[in-house]
Amino acid sequence: MRDSEAFEAFVAAWHPRLLRAAILISGDRHLAEDVLQEALIKLARRWTKVHTDPVNYVRTTLYRDVASRRRRRREFVYEEPPERLDQDTSEESDLKLVFARALAKLPVKQRAVLVLRFYEDLPVGEVAAILRVSPGTVKSQTHAALKRLREVAPELEEVLI
């Protein structure tokens, strides 16, 4: 398989999941789309060097770019969570909305830690490598983020770890 075909296959396979993670980390669908597109462009330029672990390269780039943009803008605009095709009105769906709104109230680093740990289901060591922090920082940020989620959304208490 040629490099361009391998890159296209990677994007086709991972784009939806990476976009959802970017939306959760950024709190803004439009920003997430922009940041993901830029991360994929950066990946395409370095594909021959990082094609063995492109997912973590994109995750790292997403987090760093979202954090960088937030620092520059210093304003927080949150959009409603993305609409899904399976529009059910179940209690689980309501819980997802509450969680998305509560997650949007966290700082970017805490959001990234929770998304990588629990949405992406990555171990502490891998999250630390992606965010370029120590495993202890990942653990303390996870603790602080879960504590903050409990404060801003007490109705999530039953589902939070």
Side-chain angles (χ1 to χ4, degrees), residues 31-118:
L31 174 62
E33 290 170 348
D34 291 345
V35 171
L36 178 57
Q37 183 177 11
E38 290 171 12
L40 291 172
I41 290 169
K42 290 175 185 178
L43 175 63
R45 290 181 183 146
R46 299 182 46 84
W47 180 255
T48 58
K49 295 177 184 170
V50 297
H51 72 276
T52 57
D53 191 16
V55 176
N56 283 344
Y57 179 87
V58 173
R59 285 177 177 145
T60 300
T61 304
L62 284 175
Y63 165 71
R64 299 180 105 217
D65 289 353
V66 168
S68 175
R69 285 179 183 226
R70 290 291 183 206
R71 279 192 299 269
R72 284 187 305 226
R73 275 190 7 195
R74 288 290 183 206
E75 69 180 76
F76 298 92
V77 180
Y78 298 109
E79 158 182 308
E80 293 297 314
E83 304 237 353
R84 296 195 47 161
L85 296 177
D86 55 0
Q87 295 289 326
D88 67 329
T89 57
S90 67
E91 194 172 305
E92 182 179 315
S93 185
D94 293 341
L95 195 58
K96 289 177 186 176
L97 289 173
V98 169
F99 179 73
R101 288 184 183 123
L103 190 63
K105 294 177 182 177
L106 299 178
V108 174
K109 183 180 265 186
Q110 289 181 359
R111 256 186 277 157
V113 167
L114 290 183
V115 169
L116 292 170
R117 286 282 291 128
F118 303 113

Side-chain angles (χ1 to χ4, degrees), residues 88-160:
D88 67 329
T89 57
S90 67
E91 194 172 305
E92 182 179 315
S93 185
D94 293 341
L95 195 58
K96 289 177 186 176
L97 289 173
V98 169
F99 179 73
R101 288 184 183 123
L103 190 63
K105 294 177 182 177
L106 299 178
V108 174
K109 183 180 265 186
Q110 289 181 359
R111 256 186 277 157
V113 167
L114 290 183
V115 169
L116 292 170
R117 286 282 291 128
F118 303 113
Y119 176 74
E120 297 283 343
D121 199 25
L122 298 176
V124 172
E126 202 169 328
V127 174
I130 290 169
L131 300 180
R132 296 182 181 161
V133 297
S134 71
T137 299
V138 171
K139 292 175 186 177
S140 66
Q141 288 292 313
T142 300
H143 175 75
L146 291 174
K147 180 180 177 187
R148 179 73 177 132
L149 278 179
R150 286 183 187 100
E151 292 170 1
V152 299
E155 59 269 37
L156 294 174
E157 184 66 37
E158 293 176 16
V159 294
L160 290 177

